[in-house]
């Protein structure tokens, strides 16, 4: 009886970032707002726990937003982007041979066929990668040889090397250029020591005479809807979303129902 291989447990996949740049178009913002208002009005709150209701709110907002904005694509190119279909065919062929081998592990012919296909896939993938890297290297060299200041030596979509520059540091009297790490650290330690390690001049009695605010032990009042709207307005655009995978731009363009349900 063939034994099926046990699958590895798959962790929860994180949601990819949304393409919020589409919100710059008024028609997209309006359609998204209307769709969110319609979907959120169908939700009923107050019957389940806070976590369940928040999960339902998050899923509705995220799924509705994906239908209008899609998901972000990678910024940089990679060698397998132009060979997705060919790579998928090779992997399917290898996967089929592996399944056949798992059903009959004692078969020498199936083992030989699997090893042959495995070697073929590895060779093809290396060939695709080498061809892509060679082509991109020629493009970069072509831009470099042009020697044009307005032309970047890196074509669009390529990773760029980061160059770190070190500022020169002189000794305290300004006569010697410090190049060694230890002498540079000692030189920086002196001004920081003078700035940070200063004796305290705070009068403790004056602090004791300052009126103290009473500590509130009861929970604060729930925020008003106007306060939630103002807080959403103050959110910064272009920041990474939190665990809910909803960026600030979605909250701002979501309409009145989103503000009401978030409140």
């Amino acid at each position: 009886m063939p034994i099926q291989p046990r699958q590895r447990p798959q962790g929860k996949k994180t949601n990819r970032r949304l393409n919020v740049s589409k919100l710059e178009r008024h028609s997209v913002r309006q359609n998204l707002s209307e769709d969110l208002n319609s979907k959120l009005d169908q939700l009923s709150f107050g019957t389940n726990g806070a976590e369940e209701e928040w999960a339902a709110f998050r899923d509705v907002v995220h799924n509705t937003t994906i239908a209008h904005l899609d998901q972000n694509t990678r910024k940089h190119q990679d060698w397998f982007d132009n060979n997705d279909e060919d790579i998928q065919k090779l992997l399917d062929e290898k996967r089929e041979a592996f399944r056949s081998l798992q059903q009959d592990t004692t078969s020498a012919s199936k083992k030989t066929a699997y090893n042959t296909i495995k070697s073929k896939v590895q060779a093809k993938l290396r060939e695709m990668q080498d061809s892509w890297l060679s082509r991109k290297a020629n493009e970069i060299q072509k831009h470099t040889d042009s020697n044009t200041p307005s032309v970047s030596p890196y074509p669009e979509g390529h990773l760029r090397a980061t160059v770190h520059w070190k500022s020169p540091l002189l000794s305290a009297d300004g006569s010697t250029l410090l190049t060694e790490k230890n002498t540079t650290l000692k030189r920086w330690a002196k001004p920081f020591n003078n700035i940070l390690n200063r004796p305290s001049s705070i009068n403790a009695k004056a602090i004791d005479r300052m009126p103290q605010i009473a500590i509130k032990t009861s929970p604060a009042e729930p925020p008003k809807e106007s306060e939630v709207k103002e807080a959403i307005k103050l959110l910064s655009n272009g920041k990474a979303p939190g665990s809910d995978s909803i960026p600030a731009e979605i909250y701002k363009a979501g309409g009145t129902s989103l503000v009401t349900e978030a409140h």
Side-chain angles (χ1 to χ4, degrees):
M1 179 178 178
I3 300 176
Q4 296 294 335
R6 186 174 60 179
Q7 294 183 351
R8 295 180 180 178
Q10 301 294 325
K12 184 179 179 181
K13 295 183 178 180
T14 57
N15 294 321
R16 291 173 57 186
R17 296 189 64 174
L18 299 169
N19 186 12
V20 294
S21 60
K22 289 187 176 182
L23 291 174
E24 296 177 359
R25 289 181 286 178
H26 176 71
S27 58
V28 176
R29 292 176 65 94
Q30 184 176 1
N31 292 336
L32 174 62
S33 178
E34 293 176 355
D35 200 4
L36 281 174
N37 290 337
S38 175
K39 297 289 181 60
L40 291 174
D41 288 342
Q42 299 175 8
L43 293 179
S44 59
F45 293 100
T47 56
N48 299 320
E51 293 185 0
E52 290 79 3
E53 292 182 352
W54 172 254
F57 170 81
R58 177 198 61 205
D59 293 341
V60 168
V61 173
H62 195 269
N63 294 335
T64 305
T65 307
I66 287 178
H68 291 270
L69 303 184
D70 300 328
Q71 293 178 327
N72 253 346
T73 56
R74 286 191 307 274
K75 181 179 179 181
H76 302 293
Q77 301 175 7
D78 214 330
W79 66 271
F80 45 76
D81 288 335
N82 299 330
N83 303 290
D84 283 342
E85 295 183 2
D86 296 335
I87 293 174
Q88 190 60 46
K89 291 179 181 178
L90 291 172
L91 294 179
D92 290 341
E93 186 179 358
K94 176 186 173 183
R95 192 177 296 111
E96 187 63 30
F98 179 74
R99 290 176 180 173
S100 178
L101 176 61
Q102 290 297 311
Q103 293 176 357
D104 187 7
T105 56
T106 60
S107 175
S109 59
K110 291 184 178 180
K111 186 175 183 179
T112 303
Y114 171 71
N115 291 333
T116 302
I117 294 175
K118 181 180 178 181
S119 301
K120 173 186 173 183
V121 171
Q122 291 177 346
K124 285 288 186 180
L125 292 179
R126 291 194 188 101
E127 182 181 347
M128 292 178 184
Q129 185 179 18
D130 292 343
S131 176
W132 186 89
L133 291 174
S134 177
R135 186 170 63 255
K136 294 304 175 183
N138 292 334
E139 291 181 11
I140 295 175
Q141 188 64 44
K142 182 179 179 181
H143 282 273
T144 305
D145 294 341
S146 64
N147 197 23
T148 305
S150 59
V151 178
S152 171
Y154 298 94
E156 184 67 24
H158 285 259
L159 291 170
R160 305 186 180 196
T162 303
V163 180
H164 299 279
W165 298 94
K166 292 184 178 180
S167 300
L169 183 65
L170 298 175
S171 59
D173 56 4
S175 60
T176 307
L177 180 64
L178 305 179
T179 57
E180 296 183 0
K181 184 177 180 180
N182 292 334
T183 55
T184 303
L185 291 176
K186 291 179 180 179
R187 174 70 178 88
W188 278 113
K190 291 182 179 179
F192 275 101
N193 185 45
N194 295 333
I195 295 173
L196 301 178
N197 299 328
R198 300 179 64 86
S200 176
S201 58
I202 298 176
N203 190 342
K205 294 181 179 180
I207 294 179
D208 294 337
R209 290 195 300 268
M210 295 176 62
Q212 302 295 321
I213 300 176
I215 299 175
K216 294 184 178 181
T217 56
S218 59
E221 294 292 331
K224 300 178 182 178
E225 186 172 333
S226 59
E227 294 176 339
V228 174
K229 186 181 297 185
E230 185 65 24
I232 292 176
K233 188 185 299 184
L234 295 176
L235 292 175
S236 300
N237 294 337
K239 301 296 183 181
S243 57
D244 56 3
S245 302
I246 304 175
E249 291 86 347
I250 303 302
Y251 285 106
K252 294 181 179 180
T256 56
S257 294
L258 189 144
V259 176
T260 302
E261 301 300 346
H263 169 256

